[in-house]
Amino acid sequence: MKILLDGKEIELTKIKQTEFYTVLKSKKNILLFGKSGWGKSQIVKKYCEDHGLKLKIISLASKLPEAIGGIPHATDKGYYEELLSEELKDVFEDEGEGWVIFFDEINQAVQEVLNTLYGICYPMGEDRVWAGHSLSKAQIVACANLSDGTDGVTYLNDLPTPLVNRFFPFELECSKTDAKNYLKKKYRNIPQVVKYIDVMLDAEKSPRTVDECLNILQYEPELSGLLLQSKLQSALTAKVLDIQKKIKTADPAKTLKLCRQSYEIFKEDGIVQWAGEEIETEEALLDKFSEILSEEEIASIVKGEE
């Protein structure tokens, strides 16, 4: 897929998930390319939640003519203009103030849809107008996929150069570390959750798939075998269930005792070996504890309680 900026093919600047979150704070028009399932949309949602912003999500993949039986005709630009105007009614009332307009899956839109976006995506706020309404105070964000699978069907369209020029374009660098930290915090109630995360990420499953599977393990354990196999297939499902089995049969008291001993060794020598890795800070050691112990158990170790 070609990305053209100022009429020339470019290599996109790569950013991590945390950097994407940070660059959103600039309030600039941001266009992010990345693999499906690696958290592009979730980061935008979290950014809005954290900063009290209202989010208008417009999934352009759903605006394909064939998705509605071929009606209207693909060249009927007026239809798409009316559709977008309807979706933006509540944003017009605020002139976009406090809003993020998020065009998701932008490169799955047909050309007629893309042709409606030039005015609304104008980089200078004072010139950002749609259907006679000012959107000068809105922030525009768009996400696009870099690949569309291996089934041989092309779903993605090249974006027009004038449209890309209206954004600061980036490529999401798929960081397993960022994904792991996010998922570990979200599912901290699952014992030894990092083991599950590692085995699935190492098998090249996307964070979205890992998220779905961890949700199954936490809330639908009685159906985990069948549901996990649907997502992970047999070999990987067997590994996940084997982790689950070993955790259930582990002696909690023995585990707590071993962690306490590791902490005492660290306090005395300032370093400890953990699964062949040298741990040199208390924070890193407690982070390892959090993979297998509850917050209360960790607190008991630090306080020296029996």
Side-chain angles (χ1 to χ4, degrees), residues 155-166:
Y155 303 102
L156 306 182
N157 300 311
D158 290 329
L159 298 178
T161 302
L163 187 58
V164 177
N165 285 348
R166 284 161 162 72

Side-chain angles (χ1 to χ4, degrees), residues 123-239:
M124 306 304 291
E126 61 270 21
D127 296 317
R128 193 178 300 135
V129 177
W130 179 258
H133 297 275
S134 170
L135 292 171
S136 61
K137 300 174 183 177
Q139 181 179 6
I140 312 299
V141 180
C143 285
N145 291 324
L146 270 179
S147 62
D148 45 21
T150 58
D151 54 7
V153 180
T154 300
Y155 303 102
L156 306 182
N157 300 311
D158 290 329
L159 298 178
T161 302
L163 187 58
V164 177
N165 285 348
R166 284 161 162 72
F167 291 89
F168 288 84
F170 296 94
E171 179 183 341
L172 184 66
E173 190 174 43
C174 298
S175 166
K176 287 186 179 180
T177 300
D178 280 358
K180 179 177 174 179
N181 290 337
Y182 165 74
L183 291 165
K184 185 173 72 171
K185 289 178 182 178
K186 184 174 181 180
Y187 292 99
R188 62 191 308 164
N189 293 328
I190 298 179
Q192 300 190 42
V193 66
V194 171
K195 289 188 176 182
Y196 294 110
I197 296 171
D198 282 341
V199 75
M200 286 187 274
L201 288 180
D202 287 345
E204 303 300 325
K205 295 299 178 181
S206 72
R208 180 190 297 161
T209 297
V210 179
D211 197 340
E212 291 174 326
C213 292
L214 291 173
N215 187 274
I216 291 167
L217 288 168
Q218 180 162 312
Y219 297 109
E220 301 179 87
E222 69 282 357
L223 296 173
S224 60
L226 288 173
L227 293 174
L228 289 175
Q229 187 156 320
S230 174
K231 281 288 182 182
L232 306 177
Q233 290 72 59
S234 298
L236 186 53
T237 298
K239 290 182 180 180

Side-chain angles (χ1 to χ4, degrees), residues 243-262:
I243 292 171
Q244 189 179 53
K245 181 180 178 181
K246 288 179 179 178
I247 291 171
K248 287 182 177 179
T249 57
D251 183 345
K254 184 178 180 180
T255 300
L256 184 60
K257 182 178 179 180
L258 288 172
C259 287
R260 184 172 284 126
Q261 289 174 344
S262 296

Side-chain angles (χ1 to χ4, degrees), residues 5-41:
L5 187 65
D6 294 328
K8 297 180 181 179
E9 189 170 355
I10 63 166
E11 182 177 340
L12 291 165
T13 299
K14 291 181 171 59
I15 57 174
K16 297 178 180 179
Q17 285 97 328
T18 49
E19 291 173 326
F20 175 44
Y21 182 97
T22 300
V23 82
L24 286 170
K25 297 178 184 178
S26 70
K27 303 292 185 180
K28 302 294 186 183
N29 289 0
I30 305 298
L31 170 59
L32 185 71
F33 292 84
K35 292 181 181 178
S36 178
W38 277 84
K40 300 186 297 295
S41 301

Side-chain angles (χ1 to χ4, degrees), residues 29-141:
N29 289 0
I30 305 298
L31 170 59
L32 185 71
F33 292 84
K35 292 181 181 178
S36 178
W38 277 84
K40 300 186 297 295
S41 301
Q42 291 304 315
I43 295 169
V44 176
K45 292 176 183 177
K46 179 169 174 53
Y47 162 70
C48 291
E49 290 172 3
D50 291 348
H51 294 85
L53 300 170
K54 292 173 280 189
L55 177 62
K56 174 63 66 175
I57 301 176
I58 301 174
S59 178
L60 295 181
S62 66
K63 305 300 181 290
L64 294 172
E66 53 265 40
I68 48 177
I71 301 174
H73 191 267
T75 59
D76 188 358
K77 179 182 175 183
Y79 168 78
Y80 297 108
E81 292 177 343
E82 291 177 14
L83 187 63
L84 192 54
S85 295
E86 184 66 27
E87 293 196 67
L88 292 173
K89 271 185 177 179
D90 45 354
V91 185
F92 293 152
E93 295 176 4
D94 302 321
E95 292 189 2
E97 185 170 9
W99 283 91
V100 171
I101 301 174
F102 176 39
F103 293 111
D104 199 11
E105 299 173 319
I106 190 171
N107 57 345
Q108 290 192 44
V110 294
Q111 189 63 52
E112 287 68 34
V113 174
L114 296 175
N115 286 343
T116 67
L117 302 181
Y118 290 106
I120 196 172
C121 294
Y122 204 84
M124 306 304 291
E126 61 270 21
D127 296 317
R128 193 178 300 135
V129 177
W130 179 258
H133 297 275
S134 170
L135 292 171
S136 61
K137 300 174 183 177
Q139 181 179 6
I140 312 299
V141 180

